[in-house]
Amino acid sequence: MQNFYTADDFDIDAHVSADEALVQLRTGNRIYVEALDHKRDLSPERIRELFERGQKPFATVITCSDSRVVPEHIFMAGLGELFVIRVAGNVIGDLEAASAVYACKHLHTRLLLVLGHTHCGAIRAALDGEGGSVASLTERIRDAIGAVTDPYEASVLNTRTAMRELSEQPDLATLSAKGALTIAGAIYHTHCGVVDFLER
Ligand SMILES: [Zn+2]
């Protein structure tokens, strides 16, 4: 498996590459969908171990706050495995970008996944022209999707916009240029649980 970084780039323990992280996410989602195994280690021992040794998540995931779109479940990840940023419509504002920088720069996750989803209420609201108290979200989504009216296409465009905005963030761009970060996108299908990874 290809490594995206050299040992000289960082003085941390060997970490999970973006490709390995993607394999782990794909495998986790397959297990989730097939319901082969829903057991994860949430034991007091694991809590204690993570407290004592610190977190080393293998990927960062930015997704919607929708209660059906829970990355730790969708990817069958345990405590300490995913750094998750959630905001309605998975729009990227200053706080989300800063959280992503923290995860990628300081926790050294090599994969940053933007996970959009179908039947997203925030995208629906944007398509329906809602404003008022939710305008800070819907206006961002409308900017992202332009004249598109198909909700699925809108989800994909909104996800790709978030990916682009993250890639333009200077710290993340620097990491990407070093080969230390891959920004990927995917869509979660709310009706069946399958995650489709977008072509890069
Ligand atoms: Zn949503």
Side-chain angles (χ1 to χ4, degrees), residues 90-108:
N90 44 269
V91 297
I92 306 301
D94 290 347
L95 298 175
E96 291 75 24
S99 298
V101 168
Y102 172 74
C104 299
K105 201 171 169 183
H106 299 288
L107 299 178
H108 309 287

Side-chain angles (χ1 to χ4, degrees), residues 57-130:
F58 73 83
T60 298
V61 180
I62 299 184
T63 192
C64 184
S65 301
D66 191 304
S67 61
R68 299 165 296 183
V69 186
V70 183
E72 291 87 344
H73 293 323
I74 291 167
F75 297 117
M76 295 301 295
L79 291 174
E81 292 192 315
L82 294 178
F83 188 95
V84 175
I85 302 160
R86 291 179 72 178
V87 61
N90 44 269
V91 297
I92 306 301
D94 290 347
L95 298 175
E96 291 75 24
S99 298
V101 168
Y102 172 74
C104 299
K105 201 171 169 183
H106 299 288
L107 299 178
H108 309 287
T109 62
R110 308 279 181 228
L111 180 70
L112 174 55
L113 178 70
V114 181
L115 180 65
H117 73 106
T118 60
H119 303 92
C120 178
I123 288 176
R124 182 75 265 161
L127 289 171
D128 290 346
E130 283 186 39

Side-chain angles (χ1 to χ4, degrees), residues 9-43:
D9 287 340
F10 296 101
D11 61 348
I12 54 158
D13 299 347
H15 211 88
V16 179
S17 75
D19 274 0
E20 288 164 336
L22 277 168
V23 167
Q24 200 162 332
L25 293 177
R26 284 176 193 277
T27 303
N29 182 240
R30 199 167 60 241
I31 294 169
Y32 166 74
V33 169
E34 294 174 357
L36 298 179
D37 174 13
H38 284 168
K39 288 195 287 289
R40 272 161 290 175
D41 186 357
L42 306 175
S43 66

